[in-house]
């Protein structure tokens, strides 16, 4: 027997009480029972997105689908948009926008850099006809947290330009004040902070984004926001929804409301800090820069002389702990420890202990127990 | 307490052993374990689609998403296609194709008519530049079964024209010989004959359809078949898959393989015939014409003097049996009894008995027990 622990930034662990909803006999989606589920999910998501002004729409698709929905609903071919890229998912938005014939300008940063809002301000001054700015709030690939509050403030000054935020691993882990910060389009996926299996994605649409959608001429059908909005007036969906996942979402959103959004975010901040202090105490180096570290995932440099893929493999096979490796250029060079969604204090201890044992096996030179000790200090609120 | 029975043509009941897979702790999708699930699902779907020549691709979306995928992958704006419409889902294909700027010709039939393959042959003779023909094999809205074998034979004669079959409620209920009948694109959804919750859809793509996709210039990303094919070579998916639903699909496909495709279809034919004989014995009239009745759903005219919505409501609230009403023009005028997927002999008896009791309550004049009796005769193999 080997107990298994899923410590990745998506899919994330699903709470047992939510998992059990997935085993319930299926119900029909055109019924008062399911209408109630839709209503609960939308209200719960508005709470999580911290919005009263925006509509929240739910799709049966994964995160990339909802990213595509933001492009096809808000723009026309030839529209100029600016994408700030400092990781894999910013790159994906670029691919989508180009697939639909948008004129894409890119502010490219290294994966270890945060997006500089001043660069965006400068760009918009020079290119006032820009129709949209896209920023990934929390990069799953690098753990970098971008300051979307400041960017929101800048984009507010351009009435024809909307601000699109990929918060797929942000929502539920870090603060995302949709209304207050002027975020026109915010996206998330079910298998992240919402503590569900993958297969659902949600987007919030501000009045400014709806106005943009009015002039959009890009072809669309399944991802046509207006169809979803129209159905939502009757608490239903234009196409068959992922019934069981929606019922699960209803359950997980209730858990988040019970805990309270502030507490959810504070818990993630505590777990992230414990993870960071833990790995640093082991003598490892954090990948994300001090000025922008998110709460969803902690990427860590694999120390010299250690094979990163081997490290991940030992943690999984010997200790049952699945963490993520690096993507693209960083495959084998970094490890990524997820603490997004259904995570609590002792999950961090479990991961750090497994990491310590794997490093010991690989003969890395460090003080055994030091990582766990440092994490405990954070979890107990002791300043180091 | 009231036991509940879901007798609708989608979502359909999910077998308990499949439901239980949905409550298992989530696993990561970039692992050898999940690669095996992907491989099993593709092989199982090829078996169910009766194809060796076509690739089968799986998406996290509902049926309408995979319908859109067939349009955006096979055509260019301005391409001429022919859609034969005799129900709600043919209409949907028309909406999708027009949303993407195709030149759509429609062969329109009544909801109680079958598509006449000769009309298609005649059309193609006059319009040899037609790039695609679309037919719904089994119309969920009307229960009509169209003869796609003959249409397949006709379209084979046009090397530049592909044949797209919406078999969303066909696959698993009626024969669908993808290779033998020359079906270039066949689509289905998880919440139908595959006995799963909604949220997954699959499409088969023939070499002729791949050739068509080579010249397609329509914008696409999430539904880009080539991305899925490329990932499939590594038994994976380009975007995060609906992990739990895929694991469920693996389980339900194993059940279908164990039963054997011929037996699965024979069971559906038996249940459909028992339902038809049962309602006719009650003095009700079948909606679909004798020359084209499918095995997935049996629509029945609500007899004069009876309120169809009331009938559906009594069956649900008094007897726990959920059937579907009519759609669009037929709302309140027909009822639709589903027997698609996880259905066995006694499910038909349950539905007919509930129908009898509801009709009795509404003071419809018939011989109580006669519907059940007629169904029993069919189920026992006795010729009436």
């Amino acid at each position: 027997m080997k107990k298994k622990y899923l410590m990745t930034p998506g899919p994330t662990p699903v709470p047992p009480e939510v998992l059990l909803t997935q085993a319930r006999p299926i119900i029909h989606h055109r019924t008062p029972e399911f209408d109630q589920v839709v209503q609960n999910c939308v209200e719960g998501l508005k709470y999580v997105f911290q919005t009263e002004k925006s509509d929240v729409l739910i799709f049966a698709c994964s995160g990339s689908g909802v990213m595509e929905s933001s492009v096809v609903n808000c723009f026309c071919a030839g529209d100029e948009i600016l994408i700030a890229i400092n990781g894999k998912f910013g790159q994906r938005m670029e691919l989508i926008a180009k697939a639909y014939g948008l004129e894409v300008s890119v502010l490219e940063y290294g994966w270890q850099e945060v997006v500089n809002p001043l660069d965006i301000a400068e760009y918009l001054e020079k290119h006032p006809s820009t129709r949209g700015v896209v920023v990934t709030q929390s990069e799953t690939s690098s753990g970098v947290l971008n300051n979307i509050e400041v960017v929101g403030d800048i984009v507010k000054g351009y009435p024809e330009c909307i601000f699109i935020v990929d918060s797929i691993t942000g929502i539920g882990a870090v603060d995302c004040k949709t209304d207050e910060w002027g975020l026109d389009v915010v996206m998330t996926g079910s298998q992240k902070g919402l503590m569900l299996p993958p297969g659902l994605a949600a987007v919030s649409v501000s009045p400014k984004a709806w106005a943009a959608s009015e002039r959009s001429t890009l072809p669309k059908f399944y991802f046509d926001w207006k169809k979803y909005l129209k159905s939502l007036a009757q608490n239903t969906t234009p196409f068959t929804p992922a019934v069981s996942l929606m019922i699960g979402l209803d359950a997980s959103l209730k858990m988040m409301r019970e805990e309270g959004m502030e507490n959810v975010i504070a818990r993630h901040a505590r777990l992230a800090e414990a993870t960071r202090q833990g790995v640093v105490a082991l003598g490892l180096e954090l990948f994300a820069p001090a000025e922008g570290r998110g709460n969803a995932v902690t990427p860590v440099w694999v120390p010299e002389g250690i094979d990163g893929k081997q490290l991940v493999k030992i943690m999984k096979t010997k200790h049952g702990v699945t963490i993520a490796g690096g993507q693209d250029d960083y495959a084998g060079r970094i490890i990524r420890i997820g603490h997004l969604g259904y995570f609590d204090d002792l999950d961090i201890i479990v991961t750090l202990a497994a990491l310590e044992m794997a490093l010991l096996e690989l003969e890395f030179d460090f003080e055994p127990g030091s990582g766990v000790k440092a994490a405990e200090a954070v979890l107990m609120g002791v300043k180091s």
Side-chain angles (χ1 to χ4, degrees), chain A residues 305-381:
Chain A
I306 302 283
D307 177 344
K309 290 187 178 169
Q310 187 67 6
L311 181 61
V312 170
K313 197 176 170 188
I314 292 173
M315 287 181 69
K316 182 172 180 183
T317 52
K318 292 261 175 91
H319 309 293
V321 173
T322 300
I323 61 168
Q327 292 172 294
D328 297 354
D329 283 354
Y330 298 100
R333 299 172 58 202
I334 63 173
I335 56 171
R336 293 179 301 145
I337 299 170
H339 31 72
L340 169 61
Y342 187 60
F343 277 87
D344 204 351
D345 293 5
L346 293 173
D347 291 316
I348 305 305
I349 302 297
V350 163
T351 307
L352 288 171
L355 177 60
E356 289 192 9
M357 290 188 279
L359 286 170
L360 271 178
E361 184 174 334
L362 292 169
E363 301 183 348
F364 179 65
D365 184 29
F366 72 105
E367 176 66 33
S370 59
V372 168
K373 179 183 159 190
E376 283 175 0
V378 174
L379 297 172
M380 292 186 69

Side-chain angles (χ1 to χ4, degrees), chain A residues 3-162:
Chain A
K3 266 187 125 164
K4 285 175 187 160
Y5 303 87
L6 184 65
M7 308 308 200
T8 57
T12 63
V14 179
E17 49 269 58
V18 176
L19 278 176
L20 288 176
T21 67
Q22 303 302 290
R24 286 191 204 148
I26 207 80
I27 64 170
H28 201 274
H29 57 291
R30 308 288 184 213
T31 53
E33 297 92 308
F34 193 74
D35 293 352
Q36 186 62 56
V37 170
V38 173
Q39 196 184 331
N40 294 348
C41 287
V42 170
E43 282 172 9
L45 285 172
K46 282 184 157 191
Y47 171 75
V48 168
F49 278 70
Q50 304 187 51
T51 185
E52 286 173 8
K53 292 182 196 159
S54 289
D55 296 296
V56 176
L57 314 174
I58 309 168
F59 306 88
C61 69
S62 65
S64 299
V66 80
M67 288 162 84
E68 179 165 338
S69 89
S70 73
V71 169
V72 298
N73 281 280
C74 297
F75 303 112
C76 305
D79 275 2
E80 297 164 39
I81 68 164
L82 176 67
I83 306 182
I85 299 183
N86 59 340
K88 192 175 173 66
F89 292 91
Q91 287 168 356
R92 184 161 294 176
M93 276 302 283
E94 184 187 1
L95 292 174
I96 296 172
K98 286 185 170 166
Y100 280 90
L102 274 63
E103 289 294 324
V104 181
S105 293
V106 165
L107 283 176
E108 186 129 24
Y109 301 88
W111 282 31
Q112 290 184 275
E113 290 179 313
V114 294
V115 169
N116 184 350
L118 295 180
D119 294 343
I120 293 174
E122 197 182 321
Y123 181 92
L124 289 178
E125 261 179 50
K126 284 188 196 148
H127 304 87
S129 58
T130 302
R131 290 283 181 182
V133 171
V134 181
V135 177
T136 307
Q137 184 184 22
S138 162
E139 257 292 348
T140 325
S141 53
S142 68
V144 170
L145 182 71
N146 293 313
N147 191 332
I148 56 169
E149 181 178 3
V150 177
V151 178
D153 221 43
I154 293 163
V155 181
K156 271 180 197 167
Y158 296 84
E160 306 266 276
C161 182
I162 59 165

Side-chain angles (χ1 to χ4, degrees), chain A residues 102-352:
Chain A
L102 274 63
E103 289 294 324
V104 181
S105 293
V106 165
L107 283 176
E108 186 129 24
Y109 301 88
W111 282 31
Q112 290 184 275
E113 290 179 313
V114 294
V115 169
N116 184 350
L118 295 180
D119 294 343
I120 293 174
E122 197 182 321
Y123 181 92
L124 289 178
E125 261 179 50
K126 284 188 196 148
H127 304 87
S129 58
T130 302
R131 290 283 181 182
V133 171
V134 181
V135 177
T136 307
Q137 184 184 22
S138 162
E139 257 292 348
T140 325
S141 53
S142 68
V144 170
L145 182 71
N146 293 313
N147 191 332
I148 56 169
E149 181 178 3
V150 177
V151 178
D153 221 43
I154 293 163
V155 181
K156 271 180 197 167
Y158 296 84
E160 306 266 276
C161 182
I162 59 165
F163 184 26
I164 298 180
V165 177
D166 171 354
S167 186
I168 290 177
T169 48
I171 288 281
V174 292
D175 224 359
C176 185
K177 295 190 192 294
T178 299
D179 288 354
E180 200 179 317
W181 296 351
L183 316 179
D184 297 308
V185 175
V186 181
M187 308 176 273
T188 197
S190 57
Q191 77 281 18
K192 305 285 184 173
L194 298 175
M195 308 185 289
L196 282 176
L200 281 184
V203 67
S204 71
V205 184
S206 76
K208 197 175 170 188
W210 281 121
S213 79
E214 285 303 324
R215 55 174 286 286
S216 166
T217 51
L218 283 173
K220 52 194 157 276
F221 188 83
Y222 187 70
F223 292 125
D224 186 346
W225 287 351
K226 284 184 195 160
K227 290 186 169 63
Y228 289 80
L229 185 69
K230 196 179 157 199
S231 294
L232 215 53
Q234 273 83 45
N235 289 317
T236 186
T237 55
F239 312 117
T240 307
V243 169
S244 53
L245 292 173
M246 292 281 285
I247 289 170
L249 178 60
D250 188 8
S252 69
L253 287 168
K254 277 185 183 123
M255 289 175 69
M256 291 175 86
R257 284 187 100 134
E258 269 166 33
E259 184 175 3
M261 214 47 215
E262 267 182 51
N263 297 326
V264 169
I265 293 163
R267 170 168 54 82
H268 281 82
R270 185 175 73 244
L271 301 183
E273 182 61 15
T275 307
R276 288 188 291 253
Q277 296 292 340
V279 295
V280 166
L282 295 176
L284 304 182
E285 218 179 308
L286 296 169
F287 181 81
E291 63 272 27
R293 289 174 183 151
N295 297 339
V297 55
T298 298
V300 182
W301 283 107
V302 175
E304 215 148 309
I306 302 283
D307 177 344
K309 290 187 178 169
Q310 187 67 6
L311 181 61
V312 170
K313 197 176 170 188
I314 292 173
M315 287 181 69
K316 182 172 180 183
T317 52
K318 292 261 175 91
H319 309 293
V321 173
T322 300
I323 61 168
Q327 292 172 294
D328 297 354
D329 283 354
Y330 298 100
R333 299 172 58 202
I334 63 173
I335 56 171
R336 293 179 301 145
I337 299 170
H339 31 72
L340 169 61
Y342 187 60
F343 277 87
D344 204 351
D345 293 5
L346 293 173
D347 291 316
I348 305 305
I349 302 297
V350 163
T351 307
L352 288 171

